[in-house]
Every structure is written in C-alpha cells, then in structure tokens.
Amino acid sequence: MEKTNELPFDKAFMAAIKDMVFIVKNETNSILTYAFLNQAVFERTNLTEAAIGKTFQEVHDGNLADVLTMNYGQVLSIKEAVTYVDSYISPAGNSYYSESTLTPLFNEDGNCSYIIGVVKDTTAERLAKMESQEAWKRIKESRSRYRSLYDNNANAILSLDLTGRIQTGNSAVEQLTGFTPSEITGVEFSKFIYGKDSKLLDIHYKQTLIGVIQDFRTKFRDKSGHLIGVSIQFAPIEEESEIVGIYAVLRDMREIDHLINQYAESENRFRIIAENAHDVIVLMNYKGEILYVSPSIERVYGFIPEEYMEKPPFHNVHPEDISLVKNIYKQAVKEAKNYVIEIRMKHKTTGWHWSELQGTPIFNEQDQFIHMLTITRDITLQKEHEAKLHYYAYHDSLTGLPNRRFFKQRLSEEIASGQDNNEILAVILLDIDHFKRINDQLGHEVGDAVIEEFGRRISHPLEEHDLAARLGGDEFVLLLPSVTTREGAEQIAQKIQLAMKAPWTIHNGPPEVTASMGITLIPLTEATVSSVLKSADLAMYEAKEAGRGTYRLLSL
C-alpha cells in the first residue's frame, strides 16, 4: 500500500473503511463524473485516481458503463436512495459479491448535486451461508438445538405458511416491530410491507419456493405505524424433502440507513459516520497516545471515551495477544501496510470478547509515520457460531459422541505419532445385536433412545485419553491408545458386556440389549485407518457368527 500523505481525519477514515465508497458528481445535463474514490476502491477494482473527473463511459467498458448509468440514473429519476446486489471481479481475478447503496445529496435548490455509492462486500456472508448448510441439516435432527438457535437469534424470524400467513415468530420480532408473535399470528405477511414493494415481495417469495434464496431491502410497518428499514431473507421450511412453509429473517437496517442519510456535502460527513458507527474507531499519534476514540466504545466495551483516552494503548488486550498486537503494529509502520487481526479484548464489566482489529498507518509528505487509525468490532457471536459449526461437523447429533470424521482424524493422528516408537493400541468395533428388530417392533423413538443409552454405557469404562465414537446407525467404535495387550482389550469388552446387562429402563423399550464386538490390536508401524477398520470389522463378523453378544479379537 502506498503511504498516505497528511490525511485529515475524515479522509483517513475513508481510506481505512472496509466498504468501497464512490462519490459521483451530477454535472449539467445529468452527466455523471467520479468526484472521489476511497482506498478500498483502488484495492478491489482496476480504478485509479486517473478516473477522478471522468464519466462512466470514459472509464469502463460498454456493458459496465451502461449498468452504472442505469442505476445512478434511477437515483436521479426517483430522487431516492437505491439498493441492489451485484458481483464483481477483483484485479487479482477473484469473484466477490456485494450490496450497493446509492444515496442522492441535494443542494439548496433541491437539485441532486452528488450521489454517494457505498458498496458493501457480502462475499463472506454468502460463503458463510453456504458453509452453514451442513450445520442446518444437523440442527434439523435435533429440535431442541434448533429451537435454541431460533429463539436466541438476534434477527427477527417469522415462520409463514405457503399462503404467506404468519404462523409464529421468535422473541426478536417484538424487539424490532413492537408486535408479539401472537398478535400477528394468522395475518398476511404482505400487510406489513411497504406498498410499493409488494411485487418485489411476491417475486422473492415465489423464488424461495423453487429454491432460489436472496436478500432484498424493503420497509416493514411496525406496531406504531412507522416504516422500518429492513433486509429480508426467505428460507424454505422442509419436512421429509417437502417445502411446507417459509422462514422470513428480518435484519434491522435502521442504523445503516441512518448513517447513509447523514452523508452531507462537506468534510464533516465522515466524522458523522465515525460518531455513529457500531465499530470502535481510535486515532493514535506516533507516540501511541490516543487522540480520539469514538462514542461507540461505551456500547461495545463499556468505557466512556474520556476514560479510555486516559489509559495506555491496548490496555484491554488479552495478555496472550499483546505481543501479536505490538509486533504487527511495528510491521505495519515499517512496511506501510494495513493489518487485520483477531484478538481478545476486555469489556469493562463482562470480561473478554473476541474482536477484529484493523489498523491503518498514516504518513506525512516526508514519509514520516504520524498516526495510526484503528477500527475494532466485537466478533464474539461470530466466533461462537463458528465453534458451533465445528462441533456439529465432528459430532453425532443424537448421542453427542464424536462422529466418523472425528474418529478417523484422531486415529490418523495416533498412527502418525506412534510409528517411531513401535507403539500398539487397541480398537473395538461394536454393533447392537438385532437393532433392526428393535426399530421395527418398538418404533424409531425407542430405537433412538437405545442408541443414546448405548453410547453412554460404552463410554463409562473408558479412560481420559480413550475415545468412543458413533460411526453411523447402530455401529460404534472405541479407540484405546492406552491399551497395548490382549488382556487389557478384553477387560474393556467384558466391562461393556456387564454394562449391557444392567436393566434397561427405557419406556416400552427392550428388556435387554447385547452387542457384538470386534477387537483389533494395532502395531502402529504397519497400520492405516482403512486396515484398522477392516481388521476390527472382520473380528466383529466372527463375533456375530459365534452367536452375537460376545467379542472376538484379531491382530494386524
């Protein structure tokens, strides 16, 4: 990144802001020219400062110039802000998704003199949605987990039937709209949507029913009759591969709309953004002294700005992260580059919060470092969501035990770590005898209860470093790195047999449950994941041939 020369605070902020900002001037005869582009534009597009003062046709190829002329022209025509979703290719050839908001600025004569375009990068959100699809499948298997995520979601969520009538909603609905879910149950969702957007609503609703999911902006009429700016995403409700309804997820856009509306044709417009931003903005001089901190510091970390400015920089950074912060700070100054890191920062009263810290060094015309501008946001909820996704990816939703993926990864690690020492470990493959008969005669609810209880019983005799996992169906496996002898493995199998003989208290459940077990002892110098599972499977087959309810052992 080139060094920034004596940027005033507002332009330094614009250089550091993540969103791309285009300020377009409306010349005479509705000729549009670029008046200002922030640093994010230069980094993510092919545009340079040479574009300033030029029209779309002079800067872009025909197709892109026509699209921009149409969208900016719409703002001039209707004299209102316009929001649309789009995608673009960066100079490095990477694809990005975006949401663009074009806001007109009017002079004293009521004519539109400038249009401010703010392009938000939504690529991470799109990718996160794609990555979370697998997690949603697992959530559907566990109604209690899903209900918790539904009820505690920060966004308002309404469930609609196929005709568009509201069925229920979470607690965030009342916080956003003033209505309790029971007050609007049975009412058509479209009754609350801004009238001019009724056709847009209908289009997106029908697209969702055929599997096309998109966000769109509109206004929602709250209990007091006011129109609230919201972003809505529809998602299908499926049961047994059939769509039975629609979820409407409403995201509150009022603060974002408020910030956009406060853009003014002066240098103060950027300070207004800083004063109202959700993120914490801090400006430090070359000595590390804090010159400015935005009022959002109180909402995000519990400190009033004056109090925070009196403390040393990074005083609320976690001790384990402080060296990372200082080192990357020095590197950013040395190389004149922005930086983004994830660290833990302490809230005044609620403890440590995961935070994203973005820093931008500012230099004068003699290339001397003079300021560091940092923008910090709380990403604790995002981290918790990532942790949940990771858990669901590696654990069985019914028993809570590690799944096949987790087991194979752990077995690979054990094989790799023990090959140099000629170590041996044991693996026991378990299968519930006649489980299909239990399901067929007593029902799947009893079958699920047996699976859960079986998982608990085989886990009970294990040591701290041992592992019990569910491979799928009624098949389980034990990884026993501390067991190195036939006798030790057989003792574990015998303890499991005793555990199976304890009374089964499941309502309408079977009087007893037995398991066939295949044991294999593994010399790690010769083992692979597939050879271990194959050997254990052969041993379990011999146990079943021997009459079930017993175990057999094979050695690799």
Side-chain angles (χ1 to χ4, degrees), residues 527-548:
T528 65
V529 172
S530 59
S531 66
V532 170
L533 289 175
K534 183 176 180 180
S535 176
D537 190 60
L538 289 173
M540 187 176 69
Y541 177 80
E542 290 186 4
K544 288 183 177 293
E545 289 292 305
R548 303 179 189 269

Short mmCIF file of all heavy atoms in Angstrom, two decimals, residues 527-548:
data_model
loop_
_atom_site.label_atom_id
_atom_site.label_comp_id
_atom_site.label_asym_id
_atom_site.label_seq_id
_atom_site.Cartn_x
_atom_site.Cartn_y
_atom_site.Cartn_z
N ALA A 527 0.11 -49.93 10.48
CA ALA A 527 -1.33 -49.65 10.43
C ALA A 527 -1.66 -48.48 9.51
O ALA A 527 -0.88 -47.56 9.33
CB ALA A 527 -1.84 -49.35 11.83
N THR A 528 -2.87 -48.56 8.91
CA THR A 528 -3.52 -47.44 8.24
C THR A 528 -4.95 -47.39 8.77
O THR A 528 -5.44 -48.36 9.37
CB THR A 528 -3.54 -47.61 6.71
OG1 THR A 528 -4.35 -48.75 6.37
CG2 THR A 528 -2.13 -47.78 6.15
N VAL A 529 -5.63 -46.28 8.53
CA VAL A 529 -7.01 -46.15 9.00
C VAL A 529 -7.88 -47.25 8.41
O VAL A 529 -8.65 -47.91 9.11
CB VAL A 529 -7.57 -44.76 8.64
CG1 VAL A 529 -9.07 -44.70 8.95
CG2 VAL A 529 -6.83 -43.66 9.39
N SER A 530 -7.75 -47.49 7.12
CA SER A 530 -8.60 -48.50 6.46
C SER A 530 -8.27 -49.91 6.93
O SER A 530 -9.18 -50.73 7.13
CB SER A 530 -8.45 -48.40 4.94
OG SER A 530 -7.11 -48.60 4.56
N SER A 531 -6.96 -50.21 7.13
CA SER A 531 -6.61 -51.57 7.57
C SER A 531 -7.08 -51.83 8.99
O SER A 531 -7.50 -52.95 9.32
CB SER A 531 -5.10 -51.77 7.47
OG SER A 531 -4.40 -50.92 8.38
N VAL A 532 -7.06 -50.82 9.84
CA VAL A 532 -7.53 -50.98 11.22
C VAL A 532 -9.03 -51.28 11.24
O VAL A 532 -9.49 -52.22 11.90
CB VAL A 532 -7.22 -49.72 12.04
CG1 VAL A 532 -7.92 -49.78 13.39
CG2 VAL A 532 -5.72 -49.58 12.25
N LEU A 533 -9.81 -50.48 10.51
CA LEU A 533 -11.26 -50.69 10.49
C LEU A 533 -11.61 -52.02 9.85
O LEU A 533 -12.56 -52.70 10.27
CB LEU A 533 -11.93 -49.54 9.73
CG LEU A 533 -11.93 -48.19 10.45
CD1 LEU A 533 -12.49 -47.10 9.55
CD2 LEU A 533 -12.74 -48.27 11.73
N LYS A 534 -10.88 -52.42 8.82
CA LYS A 534 -11.15 -53.71 8.16
C LYS A 534 -10.89 -54.87 9.12
O LYS A 534 -11.69 -55.81 9.20
CB LYS A 534 -10.27 -53.85 6.92
CG LYS A 534 -10.53 -55.13 6.14
CD LYS A 534 -9.69 -55.17 4.86
CE LYS A 534 -9.96 -56.47 4.10
NZ LYS A 534 -9.15 -56.54 2.85
N SER A 535 -9.78 -54.79 9.87
CA SER A 535 -9.46 -55.86 10.81
C SER A 535 -10.52 -55.95 11.92
O SER A 535 -10.98 -57.05 12.27
CB SER A 535 -8.08 -55.61 11.42
OG SER A 535 -7.79 -56.58 12.40
N ALA A 536 -10.93 -54.79 12.46
CA ALA A 536 -11.95 -54.79 13.51
C ALA A 536 -13.28 -55.31 12.97
O ALA A 536 -14.02 -56.00 13.68
CB ALA A 536 -12.10 -53.38 14.08
N ASP A 537 -13.61 -54.99 11.74
CA ASP A 537 -14.85 -55.44 11.14
C ASP A 537 -14.86 -56.96 10.96
O ASP A 537 -15.88 -57.62 11.20
CB ASP A 537 -15.05 -54.74 9.78
CG ASP A 537 -16.44 -54.97 9.23
OD1 ASP A 537 -17.42 -54.58 9.89
OD2 ASP A 537 -16.54 -55.55 8.13
N LEU A 538 -13.72 -57.52 10.54
CA LEU A 538 -13.64 -58.98 10.42
C LEU A 538 -13.81 -59.66 11.78
O LEU A 538 -14.49 -60.68 11.89
CB LEU A 538 -12.28 -59.36 9.81
CG LEU A 538 -12.10 -59.01 8.32
CD1 LEU A 538 -10.66 -59.29 7.89
CD2 LEU A 538 -13.08 -59.82 7.46
N ALA A 539 -13.20 -59.07 12.80
CA ALA A 539 -13.35 -59.64 14.14
C ALA A 539 -14.80 -59.58 14.61
O ALA A 539 -15.31 -60.53 15.23
CB ALA A 539 -12.44 -58.91 15.12
N MET A 540 -15.47 -58.46 14.32
CA MET A 540 -16.88 -58.34 14.73
C MET A 540 -17.75 -59.34 13.97
O MET A 540 -18.71 -59.90 14.53
CB MET A 540 -17.38 -56.92 14.47
CG MET A 540 -18.79 -56.67 15.03
SD MET A 540 -19.32 -54.96 14.83
CE MET A 540 -19.51 -54.89 13.05
N TYR A 541 -17.43 -59.59 12.72
CA TYR A 541 -18.18 -60.59 11.94
C TYR A 541 -18.05 -61.96 12.60
O TYR A 541 -19.03 -62.72 12.70
CB TYR A 541 -17.65 -60.63 10.51
CG TYR A 541 -18.31 -61.67 9.65
CD1 TYR A 541 -19.57 -61.44 9.09
CD2 TYR A 541 -17.69 -62.90 9.40
CE1 TYR A 541 -20.19 -62.40 8.30
CE2 TYR A 541 -18.30 -63.86 8.61
CZ TYR A 541 -19.56 -63.61 8.06
OH TYR A 541 -20.16 -64.57 7.29
N GLU A 542 -16.83 -62.30 13.07
CA GLU A 542 -16.65 -63.59 13.75
C GLU A 542 -17.47 -63.64 15.03
O GLU A 542 -18.02 -64.70 15.40
CB GLU A 542 -15.17 -63.79 14.06
CG GLU A 542 -14.32 -64.04 12.81
CD GLU A 542 -12.88 -64.40 13.17
OE1 GLU A 542 -12.60 -64.53 14.38
OE2 GLU A 542 -12.06 -64.54 12.25
N ALA A 543 -17.57 -62.50 15.74
CA ALA A 543 -18.38 -62.47 16.96
C ALA A 543 -19.85 -62.73 16.65
O ALA A 543 -20.54 -63.42 17.40
CB ALA A 543 -18.20 -61.12 17.66
N LYS A 544 -20.34 -62.17 15.57
CA LYS A 544 -21.74 -62.40 15.18
C LYS A 544 -21.95 -63.86 14.79
O LYS A 544 -22.98 -64.47 15.11
CB LYS A 544 -22.13 -61.47 14.03
CG LYS A 544 -22.29 -60.01 14.44
CD LYS A 544 -22.75 -59.16 13.28
CE LYS A 544 -22.99 -57.72 13.70
NZ LYS A 544 -24.14 -57.60 14.62
N GLU A 545 -20.97 -64.43 14.07
CA GLU A 545 -21.06 -65.84 13.68
C GLU A 545 -21.05 -66.76 14.89
O GLU A 545 -21.61 -67.87 14.86
CB GLU A 545 -19.90 -66.20 12.74
CG GLU A 545 -20.01 -65.59 11.35
CD GLU A 545 -21.17 -66.19 10.56
OE1 GLU A 545 -21.22 -67.44 10.44
OE2 GLU A 545 -22.04 -65.43 10.12
N ALA A 546 -20.41 -66.30 15.97
CA ALA A 546 -20.33 -67.11 17.19
C ALA A 546 -21.59 -67.02 18.03
O ALA A 546 -21.65 -67.59 19.12
CB ALA A 546 -19.12 -66.66 18.01
N GLY A 547 -22.60 -66.30 17.56
CA GLY A 547 -23.87 -66.25 18.27
C GLY A 547 -24.25 -64.91 18.82
O GLY A 547 -25.24 -64.77 19.54
N ARG A 548 -23.46 -63.87 18.54
CA ARG A 548 -23.73 -62.50 18.99
C ARG A 548 -23.60 -62.37 20.51
O ARG A 548 -23.50 -63.37 21.23
CB ARG A 548 -25.11 -62.01 18.54
CG ARG A 548 -25.32 -62.08 17.03
CD ARG A 548 -26.71 -61.62 16.63
NE ARG A 548 -26.98 -61.88 15.21
CZ ARG A 548 -26.74 -61.03 14.23
NH1 ARG A 548 -26.24 -59.84 14.52
NH2 ARG A 548 -26.99 -61.33 12.98
#
